[in-house]
Each structure stands twice: as structure tokens, then as C-alpha cells.
Amino acid sequence: MRAIRGAAAAAAILLSALGGKAADAAPAFSTRYVYYDVTGDTATGVYISMLKRGPQVNGASAYAATSALPSERGKLELTRSCRVIDYQYRTDFTIHLPKLTDETVLSAGTLEQWHRFSRLLVKHEETHRSIWMSCAREIETRIRALRTHTCAELDEKAQEIRDQVQNACLSKHAAFDAAEQKRLARQPFVRMVLVNNSKPNKPVKLAVGKKRKKAAAQIN
């Protein structure tokens, strides 16, 4: 998020000669939650702490962020045609979220709204994760179905599939973030910050990041 942020990731796959092997299974996923500390005894103080200590995505401040690191494994088989066998597409997610170091300093009302805001961040980032997981399943299904005359041709077509699916995936992230922007502006914790400041900072915009991470590709 740029307030709520999903960082896009792209895989780089190398299809070469016959080699390594991976289990023939559905896409594999893992998720790691990482928390950064925020402080403050008012909604405004906590908000400012998030802007100062939160993740930076493409140079923009974020309340939370999700990164996706994909990797691919499989084995090329060339008989009358080339195909990938034992193919698996894996994505390892890291979700960065804020964690208030001392909740006792906030008033009961502010703390309640902070908890609601925190749950919104988690739900938002996990939705970005779900979008990536859907894209991973499509990539795996389509690459498994490839049959070409040469393995070089398969390599090229596999790259085309990844590019197509990932570009479509970025559009889904952007559409989701655009819809969430209005929801964020109405969020009670954010409204508390805006109301309590004569010159309030605008909420950080929701937008999917375009930063890409290369995958540790293992298709041989």
C-alpha cells in the first residue's frame, strides 16, 4: 500500500537443457509477517510515526506493504515435442505491518479505532496476496499445458505467458487499490487524524507497486 501497498513481483525463468526435478504439485505459497514499531499517544502521533517508520515502496511512504518473490522449478522433456514436467510455481510473500509498541497510552476510543485500522491493513494486504496467488495458479496451469517443437520455443512462450498474466495481475492490483482509496478516506482512525489537524496530511494513496523482484528460477 502507499498507505496500503502491494508490491508487484515478476518471475524470471530459465528453460534450458534437461536436468533438475520438482514434485508435480499445485503452486506452493508461504507467508511471513514482519512488523515495524510505531509510537504515539494520540491518533495523529501514531499516524506520523507510521509515515516515518513504515515501508518505502518506489520512493513512496506506505502504511503496509506486501512483497512477492516467485520461483519456478521443473524439468524439460524433449521427445516428439518439448514440454515441462514436474513443473511448480512457488511464491514467498512478506507482509509488512505496523505494530503499536505501547497501547496503554491511547484513549479507549482511539485504541478501538486503531485496532479497526490495523485489521483493515491486514485484510488489504492479504487481498493483494490472494490476487498474486490466483495469477500464480494461472501461470502454472498454462505453462504446464505448453507443447512446442523445440525447448527454445517453449522458453519463449513461457515468458510470454508470464508477462501477460503478470501485467493483467498488476491491473487487478491497481483496480483494487483504487476502490480501497475511498474506503480508506472514510476509515475512522484516518478521519480522527484529519479532524484533529488544522492542516492535515492527506491519507497516503493506495497503489500497487511496480518494483519487481527476480525469481530464483530452477527449470532445467
Side-chain angles (χ1 to χ4, degrees):
M1 274 176 167
R2 218 174 45 220
I4 305 174
R5 192 64 176 254
I13 188 175
L14 295 177
L15 297 176
S16 57
L18 295 176
K21 185 176 182 179
D24 186 9
F29 306 105
S30 71
T31 303
R32 183 169 65 103
Y33 292 85
V34 177
Y35 297 90
Y36 66 92
D37 292 339
V38 293
T39 59
D41 56 8
T42 64
T44 300
V46 174
Y47 185 87
I48 292 173
S49 181
M50 281 193 295
L51 295 183
K52 289 182 177 179
R53 300 181 179 181
Q56 293 284 314
V57 182
N58 295 333
S61 298
Y63 302 144
T66 298
S67 62
L69 181 62
S71 59
E72 300 166 275
R73 300 183 63 184
K75 178 180 178 182
L76 289 176
E77 182 178 75
L78 179 60
T79 54
R80 292 183 178 180
S81 64
C82 184
R83 66 174 182 144
V84 185
I85 61 174
D86 300 323
Y87 177 68
Q88 185 176 61
Y89 191 98
R90 177 183 178 87
T91 308
D92 296 304
F93 298 97
T94 301
I95 297 178
H96 296 265
L97 296 163
K99 182 177 182 180
L100 192 60
T101 58
D102 185 0
E103 294 187 345
T104 64
V105 298
L106 292 180
S107 68
T110 301
L111 182 59
E112 179 183 358
Q113 298 308 329
W114 166 253
H115 286 162
R116 290 181 61 184
F117 180 69
S118 297
R119 289 194 294 270
L120 181 149
L121 296 183
V122 173
K123 183 177 180 180
H124 181 98
E125 296 306 324
E126 290 180 345
T127 301
H128 276 301
R129 180 185 60 181
S130 295
I131 293 172
W132 280 122
M133 290 168 72
S134 176
C135 295
R137 293 186 185 100
E138 181 179 353
I139 288 173
E140 179 167 289
T141 298
R142 293 177 61 182
I143 290 181
R144 279 187 180 183
L146 284 177
R147 300 292 185 274
T148 58
H149 292 297
T150 67
C151 291
E153 184 182 0
L154 191 148
D155 190 7
E156 183 178 345
K157 288 186 177 297
Q159 185 61 54
E160 290 176 358
I161 289 172
R162 284 192 307 278
D163 291 342
Q164 290 171 4
V165 175
Q166 288 165 356
N167 287 336
C169 207
L170 286 176
S171 296
K172 292 177 182 178
H173 284 297
F176 170 62
D177 278 334
E180 286 283 275
Q181 190 66 52
K182 293 181 179 180
R183 183 183 178 191
L184 177 70
R186 297 192 302 266
Q187 210 285 328
F189 180 80
V190 175
R191 290 180 65 84
M192 289 178 69
V193 175
L194 299 179
V195 169
N196 291 333
N197 286 275
S198 58
K199 295 182 180 180
N201 293 317
K202 293 182 180 179
V204 183
K205 289 184 178 180
L206 305 179
V208 66
K210 294 183 180 179
K211 183 177 181 181
R212 294 171 178 256
K213 290 186 177 181
K214 289 187 177 181
Q218 291 185 10
I219 297 187
N220 298 308

